[in-house]
C-alpha cells in the first residue's frame, strides 16, 4: 500500500519531505475530491432550506457528525459541536462554563505542565475575570504524567481537570483513563476536559473509555481542511451550558426583548457553519477507515518511531526531548542540537526540501520548565516513509557539521 | 545558505557581550522563532550612540544582522536610529532575507529602538510590524 501516492502534494512537489504534520497534516485526494464534489454538486446552506439541495447539504453535515460521534464513542451526534479549530472549541467551552456559573472565584482548575496555549490562555482569562485558581501537574523523568503530583494537587476545590491527551512537544501519550478513574474517587467529581488535538490524528480515542466530560480537537491535523474544529460534551453537561455566542440558527425564537436558545447542538453553532469543512472532516475519517483505520496508522507510525528513536540515539550532540519507548508516544520528535540554534537547523533542512518546525510550539510554560528557548520538531504521519527518515538524518548530520 | 559576511559575523560577532559601561539595556524576544536578545547602549551627551553591544540565544541570521547593525550605528543620532527599519538591514547585509526570517533579521534593531525609547522616556514601544512592512 503506497499511502504517499494518495497525497497530491508529493506529486506536485517532487522530493518534498514533509515532517510538520503536528502543525498541520497534508490532504489525500479522497478529501480534496470530496470537497470538490460537495461544492460542485450539493453546496447550499443548511437549516430549513425547503429544497432538495439544502436537504442534501444538511444530511451531509449530519452524516459528518455521525461519523465523528461513532469514532470517538459519543452517545449521539447531537453531542458533536462544530467550531473552527481546537482553540475556538476550547474557548467556546471554557467561556460557556463561565456564563453558566459552573466555575466561581476560588475554584481550582488543574492543567498539565505540557499544555498547548489553547488549553492555558482561556483559563488565564478566567483567572482574571472570575478569580479561579490554576495549578499545573508535573511530569516524571520519562515525560509521563506524574500521578503522585496529580493526587497531591487534587484538592477539594478542584472543579475541573483539563489535560492534553498527547504532548505536542514530546509526543508522549498520557494515561488519561487512569486520570478518569482517579477523578471517579473524588467526593465531588471534577469535570474532566480533554484536548485531543494531538491524539485524534494518531490513535483511536474513545470518550467513554477516557471517562471525560468534554473533549476538543481540530480537523486540519487529521487530513480535513482547516477551519473545522470539534467540541464534544456529554449531553447533560451541554444542556446545562449557556453558549457565549448566539444568533441566527442557534435560537428557537427571538422577540424584541428576549430569546430562547435552540436545542443541541444548534445552540452552540450560530451563523452559517463551515459546511465544506464539515464535509472534509467526514471524508477524512472515511479515508482513515478505507486505509485500515487507526490500526493501520499505528502500524505505520510504530515502524517509523522505532527507526527515528534508534537514529536519534546514534547522533552525538543531539538531545531528543521525549521518551524513547515507541509504544508510549506518537511520531512527534522535538530535539535540540548542542551549540546550534534550532532555527538554523530548520533553515538548513528547509534548503534541502525537508519541512520541520522550530520555536516554542505554542507551549511556552513547558519550554520554560524544560529550560529551553526553542526546539526543532519533526513530526511524521501516515504518508512518511523510512526513506524520508533516512534523508532527514543524512541532512541533519550535514547541518551539524556545517553549522557548528 | 548565507553569504560570507553573514557567516563571519554569526561565528565571531565582535560586539557580543555586556558593555562594561552602559546607560541603558533592553531585552526583546522573537516569540515565533524563540530568539532572545538583549542590547546595551552607551550614549554620548549629544544623544549619539557611543557604544553598543548585545548578547542572547540567537540564530545565525539574528546574530549577524544584530552585530552588523550595531557596528553601523556608532556615532548615529538616537532620532535617526528610530527611523531605521528592515530596508536598512537589507542594505547593510547586501541581500534580502527570506520572509520567514525577516523578524529575526530586525531583532537587534527592534531591541535597540526600544532601548532608545526607554532612554528617552517617550513611552513608545515598537513592534515587528513597525519595522517589517
Amino acid at each position: 500500500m503506497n499511502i504517499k501516492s494518495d497525497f497530491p502534494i508529493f506529486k506536485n512537489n517532487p522530493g518534498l519531505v514533509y515532517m510538520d504534520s503536528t502543525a498541520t497534516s497534508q490532504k489525500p485526494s479522497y478529501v480534496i475530491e470530496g470537497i470538490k464534489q460537495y461544492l460542485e454538486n450539493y453546496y447550499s446552506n443548511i437549516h430549513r432550506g425547503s429544497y432538495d439541495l439544502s436537504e442534501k447539504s444538511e444530511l451531509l453535515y449530519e452524516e459528518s457528525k455521525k461519523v465523528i460521534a461513532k469514532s470517538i464513542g459519543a452517545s449521539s451526534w447531537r453531542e458533536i459541536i462544530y467550531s473552527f479549530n481546537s482553540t475556538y472549541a476550547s474557548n467556546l467551552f471554557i467561556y460557556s462554563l463561565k456564563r453558566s456559573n459552573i466555575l466561581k472565584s476560588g475554584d481550582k482548575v488543574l492543567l498539565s505542565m505540557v499544555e498547548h496555549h489553547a488549553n492555558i490562555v482561556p483559563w488565564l482569562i478566567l483567572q482574571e475575570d472570575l478569580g479561579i485558581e490554576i495549578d499545573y501537574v508535573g511530569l516524571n523523568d520519562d515525560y509521563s504524567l506524574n500521578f503522585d503530583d496529580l493526587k497531591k494537587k487534587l484538592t477539594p476545590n478542584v472543579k475541573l481537570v483539563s489535560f492534553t491527551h498527547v504532548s505536542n512537544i514530546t509526543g508522549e501519550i498520557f494515561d488519561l483513563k487512569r486520570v478518569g478513574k482517579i477523578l471517579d474517587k473524588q467526593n465531588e467529581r471534577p469535570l474532566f476536559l480533554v484536548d485531543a488535538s494531538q491524539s485524534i490524528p494518531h490513535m483511536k480515542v474513545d470518550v467513554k473509555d477516557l471517562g471525560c466530560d468534554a473533549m476538543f480537537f481540530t480537523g486540519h491535523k487529521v487530513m480535513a481542511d482547516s477551519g473545522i474544529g470539534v467540541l464534544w460534551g456529554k449531553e447533560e453537561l451541554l444542556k446545562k451550558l449557556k453558549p457565549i455566542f448566539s444568533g441566527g440558527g442557534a435560537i428557537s425564537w427571538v422577540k424584541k426583548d428576549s430569546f430562547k436558545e435552540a436545542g443541541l447542538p444548534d445552540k452552540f453553532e450560530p451563523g452559517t457553519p463551515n459546511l465544506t469543512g464539515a464535509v472534509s472532516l467526514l471524508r477524512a475519517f472515511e479515508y482513515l477507515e478505507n486505509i485500515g483505520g487507526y490500526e493501520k496508522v499505528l502500524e505505520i507510525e510504530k515502524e517509523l518511531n522505532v527507526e527515528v528513536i534508534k537514529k536519534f540515539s546514534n547522533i552525538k550532540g543531539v538531545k531528543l526531548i521525549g521518551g524513547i519507548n515507541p509504544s508510549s508516544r506518537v511520531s512527534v520528535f522535538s530535539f535540540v542540537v548542542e551549540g546550534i540554534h534550532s532555527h538554523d537547523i530548520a533553515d538548513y533542512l528547509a534548503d534541502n526540501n525537508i519541512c520541520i518546525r522550530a520555536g516554542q510550539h505554542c507551549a511556552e510554560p513547558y519550554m520554560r520548565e524544560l529550560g529551553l528557548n526553542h526546539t526543532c520538531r519533526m513530526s511524521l504521519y501516515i504518508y512518511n516513509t523510512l526513506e524520508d527518515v533516512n534523508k532527514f538524518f543524512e541532512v541533519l548530520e550535514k547541518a551539524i557539521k556545517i553549522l557548528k | 545558505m548565507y553569504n560570507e559576511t553573514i557567516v563571519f559575523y554569526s561565528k565571531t560577532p565582535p560586539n557580543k557581550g555586556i558593555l562594561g559601561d552602559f546607560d541603558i539595556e533592553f531585552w526583546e524576544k522573537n516569540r515565533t522563532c524563540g530568539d532572545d536578545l538583549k542590547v546595551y547602549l552607551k550614549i554620548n551627551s549629544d544623544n549619539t550612540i557611543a557604544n553598543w553591544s548585545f548578547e542572547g540565544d540567537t540564530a545565525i541570521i539574528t546574530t549577524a544582522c544584530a552585530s552588523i547593525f550595531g557596528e553601523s550605528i556608532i556615532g548615529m543620532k538616537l532620532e535617526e536610529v528610530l527611523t531605521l527599519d528592515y530596508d536598512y538591514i537589507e542594505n547593510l547585509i547586501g541581500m534580502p532575507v527570506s520572509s520567514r526570517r525577516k523578524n529575526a533579521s530586525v531583532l537587534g534593531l527592534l531591541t535597540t529602538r526600544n532601548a532608545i525609547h526607554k532612554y528617552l522616556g517617550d513611552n513608545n514601544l515598537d513592534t515587528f510590524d513597525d519595522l517589517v512592512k
Side-chain angles (χ1 to χ4, degrees):
Chain A
M1 186 185 270
N2 184 359
I3 287 188
K4 200 170 218 173
S5 64
D6 291 347
F7 292 77
I9 195 108
F10 298 111
K11 189 179 153 207
N12 297 328
N13 295 273
L16 175 71
V17 177
Y18 186 78
M19 296 183 160
D20 196 20
S21 297
T22 293
T24 196
S25 64
Q26 294 299 339
K27 320 301 174 199
S29 297
Y30 187 84
V31 169
I32 298 167
E33 285 303 315
I35 293 170
K36 187 167 174 277
Q37 274 185 12
Y38 171 64
L39 290 172
E40 287 180 352
N41 296 291
Y42 308 113
Y43 182 76
S44 61
N45 212 333
I46 59 172
H47 298 323
R48 295 167 304 282
S50 55
Y51 46 91
D52 278 357
L53 213 56
S54 175
E55 197 183 333
K56 280 178 184 159
S57 197
E58 182 141 5
L59 284 174
L60 268 175
Y61 191 72
E62 280 182 19
E63 176 65 15
S64 171
K65 291 192 172 185
K66 284 175 184 165
V67 165
I68 297 301
K70 191 178 169 208
S71 177
I72 65 170
S75 296
S76 154
W77 69 270
R78 293 189 184 277
E79 294 180 334
I80 305 292
I81 296 157
Y82 279 164
S83 182
F84 305 113
N85 50 45
S86 283
T87 305
Y88 267 91
S90 75
N91 275 267
L92 172 63
F93 182 76
I94 292 166
Y95 303 132
S96 295
L97 286 175
K98 177 192 169 192
R99 184 163 178 255
S100 315
N101 297 318
I102 289 176
L103 290 176
K104 59 181 189 307
S105 176
D107 287 345
K108 195 195 276 185
V109 170
L110 273 190
L111 308 176
S112 87
M113 201 56 243
V114 304
E115 297 306 319
H116 186 281
H117 296 166
N119 194 26
I120 298 177
V121 181
W123 299 116
L124 291 173
I125 292 176
L126 247 57
Q127 180 178 262
E128 279 181 21
D129 288 1
L130 280 181
I132 63 160
E133 294 170 23
I134 299 170
D135 206 350
Y136 294 85
V137 175
L139 304 185
N140 297 311
D141 291 342
D142 65 357
Y143 300 93
S144 61
L145 198 62
N146 185 332
F147 280 89
D148 290 336
D149 200 34
L150 168 64
K151 285 172 192 163
K152 197 174 78 188
K153 286 173 176 164
L154 208 49
T155 48
N157 65 332
V158 172
K159 293 292 186 294
L160 190 142
V161 173
S162 185
F163 287 163
T164 188
H165 196 184
V166 167
S167 163
N168 75 324
I169 303 280
T170 64
E172 181 74 20
I173 302 166
F174 285 168
D175 186 355
L176 294 191
K177 197 173 170 175
R178 190 173 163 198
V179 173
K181 284 185 177 155
I182 289 171
L183 298 185
D184 286 341
K185 290 179 191 150
Q186 294 297 105
N187 284 336
E188 196 186 329
R189 193 183 194 270
L191 287 173
F192 186 18
L193 174 64
V194 170
D195 175 356
S197 310
Q198 298 300 342
S199 52
I200 283 281
H202 304 282
M203 57 196 275
K204 179 83 177 163
V205 178
D206 187 299
V207 291
K208 291 198 179 90
D209 189 45
L210 297 182
C212 57
D213 299 286
M215 185 173 90
F216 60 88
F217 63 93
T218 192
H220 71 93
K221 293 185 200 291
V222 59
M223 298 178 286
D225 199 3
S226 53
I228 184 83
V230 179
L231 170 65
W232 165 84
K234 278 184 182 165
E235 193 169 339
E236 64 262 31
L237 174 61
L238 294 180
K239 277 183 176 166
K240 274 197 284 182
L241 275 190
K242 289 181 173 181
I244 43 157
F245 303 118
S246 197
I251 43 82
S252 293
W253 50 257
V254 182
K255 294 179 186 172
K256 273 164 73 178
D257 57 357
S258 58
F259 75 98
K260 185 176 188 303
E261 65 189 26
L264 290 177
D266 294 357
K267 72 173 183 174
F268 289 102
E269 296 185 5
T272 298
N274 182 356
L275 303 168
T276 317
V279 172
S280 78
L281 194 58
L282 167 65
R283 299 298 177 225
F285 272 72
E286 285 174 348
Y287 175 76
L288 259 181
E289 272 308 302
N290 293 347
I291 62 161
Y294 282 109
E295 279 178 21
K296 184 71 187 171
V297 177
L298 281 179
E299 181 194 316
I300 296 168
E301 290 193 10
K302 194 168 181 190
E303 187 186 27
L304 295 171
N305 285 356
V306 168
E307 188 64 15
V308 170
I309 290 167
K310 190 179 88 187
K311 285 198 147 63
F312 266 124
S313 67
N314 289 336
I315 297 193
K316 273 189 184 166
V318 176
K319 183 170 190 262
L320 182 64
I321 313 295
I324 53 167
N325 177 357
S327 303
S328 67
R329 54 148 47 251
V330 302
S331 49
V332 178
F333 299 92
S334 288
F335 63 96
V336 285
V337 181
E338 200 185 314
I340 306 178
H341 198 283
S342 300
H343 266 282
D344 293 329
I345 295 284
D347 269 5
Y348 190 88
L349 289 162
D351 288 345
N352 287 274
N353 219 0
I354 301 172
C355 313
I356 68 155
R357 191 157 289 258
Q360 302 199 328
H361 318 294
C362 289
E364 260 191 78
Y366 184 45
M367 295 289 283
R368 203 165 284 132
E369 186 84 356
L370 289 168
L372 296 170
N373 242 343
H374 45 81
T375 71
C376 292
R377 184 183 72 186
M378 62 101 92
S379 51
L380 312 177
Y381 203 33
I382 51 174
Y383 33 72
N384 287 115
T385 60
L386 288 175
E387 288 76 48
D388 290 344
V389 171
N390 288 338
K391 183 172 175 195
F392 168 84
F393 280 100
E394 196 181 292
V395 176
L396 178 62
E397 289 197 44
K398 271 190 209 160
I400 294 170
K401 270 185 203 151
I402 289 168
L403 296 170
K404 232 173 196 167
Chain B
M1 192 173 177
Y2 297 117
N3 65 28
E4 279 177 21
T5 314
I6 298 285
V7 174
F8 170 79
Y9 273 91
S10 72
K11 287 198 191 287
T12 50
N15 39 16
K16 189 165 184 179
I18 307 172
L19 285 183
D21 178 23
F22 62 88
D23 295 310
I24 195 98
E25 62 183 306
F26 203 87
W27 178 84
E28 276 285 354
K29 187 168 189 175
N30 177 2
R31 298 211 168 265
T32 49
C33 294
D35 273 339
D36 172 348
L37 190 146
K38 200 171 192 179
V39 297
Y40 302 87
L41 276 73
K42 179 72 187 165
I43 294 164
N44 293 317
S45 55
D46 63 350
N47 270 2
T48 56
I49 306 277
N51 209 349
W52 181 100
S53 79
F54 79 105
E55 61 169 5
D57 177 12
T58 48
I60 289 175
I61 193 77
T62 323
T63 312
C65 289
S67 185
I68 297 167
F69 159 76
E71 283 186 342
S72 78
I73 59 165
I74 303 297
M76 194 181 279
K77 283 266 187 199
L78 300 187
E79 288 76 10
E80 193 184 344
V81 179
L82 291 177
T83 66
L84 305 177
D85 60 12
Y86 165 76
D87 292 339
Y88 177 76
I89 302 290
E90 185 179 313
N91 272 333
L92 272 182
I93 63 172
M95 60 178 250
V97 178
S98 71
S99 58
R100 64 177 190 266
R101 306 315 310 279
K102 276 204 167 80
N103 282 4
S105 74
V106 298
L107 184 61
L109 167 58
L110 175 68
T111 316
T112 304
R113 278 178 50 155
N114 283 333
I116 293 171
H117 285 310
K118 185 178 162 194
Y119 179 77
L120 296 174
D122 62 11
N123 289 322
N124 284 329
L125 195 65
D126 294 324
T127 67
F128 286 108
D129 291 342
D130 297 312
L131 276 67
V132 182
K133 307 286 182 196

